[in-house]
Amino acid sequence: MLPLPSDPELARIARTFYDKVYAHPWIGRFFANVDQSRQEIKLVRFVRMAWHESADAELQGRYLEQEHAHMRITGALFDLRQTLLAEALREHAHPEPLVQAFLAFNERWRRFVVSTHG
């Protein structure tokens, strides 16, 4: 796994990503009454904690599962999130290997957050 950007840069990426999420006509409505700065902090904290392969992925995945239990996240919604994250990373001029590493990192959590029930 590639090294992470600095904490200030992760915060900038998170801000750009959530600016996109909150502005998006579909995914943004899920965040209508959610504090954006809190979401940014939670994202940075989770990425810092779980980035390395040695981290306990199953435990971290269960945390994400609990955090998202009240939502019905479809595969299409997860894919849109991936697209918005890639856009945010590219807007901050991060090299494609890092963009792909972030997408792979996120993909590790798909099974924990994508709803398997109707």
Side-chain angles (χ1 to χ4, degrees):
M1 184 72 62
L2 294 172
L4 277 173
S6 67
D7 284 349
E9 181 58 14
L10 280 176
R12 285 188 288 274
I13 293 164
R15 166 63 51 94
T16 300
F17 167 68
Y18 275 111
D19 283 349
K20 291 175 174 296
V21 167
Y22 278 72
H24 194 276
W26 180 31
I27 198 172
R29 62 192 168 145
F30 295 101
F31 292 87
N33 297 311
V34 179
D35 177 49
Q36 182 175 337
S37 63
R38 181 181 147 109
Q39 292 304 113
E40 293 167 13
I41 290 167
K42 286 170 57 175
L43 176 60
V44 170
R45 185 181 310 139
F46 183 78
V47 171
R48 299 287 298 148
M49 175 186 72
W51 185 254
H52 298 288
E53 295 293 333
S54 62
D56 186 351
E58 192 68 25
L59 181 62
Q60 293 159 345
R62 295 293 167 219
Y63 163 77
L64 288 177
E65 191 172 56
Q66 290 172 353
E67 279 286 300
H68 297 87
H70 66 289
M71 302 174 175
R72 183 178 177 281
I73 300 175
T74 65
L77 199 55
F78 190 91
D79 293 343
L80 174 58
R81 183 188 186 282
Q82 290 279 70
T83 297
L84 297 176
L85 180 60
E87 287 176 7
L89 286 156
R90 289 180 182 123
E91 284 179 23
H92 286 269
H94 288 286
E96 196 59 26
L98 186 64
V99 173
Q100 294 307 313
F102 264 91
L103 296 178
F105 172 80
N106 275 342
E107 196 61 39
R108 289 185 359 205
W109 314 115
R110 181 184 290 266
R111 71 182 174 100
F112 294 100
V113 298
V114 171
S115 178
T116 57
H117 53 315

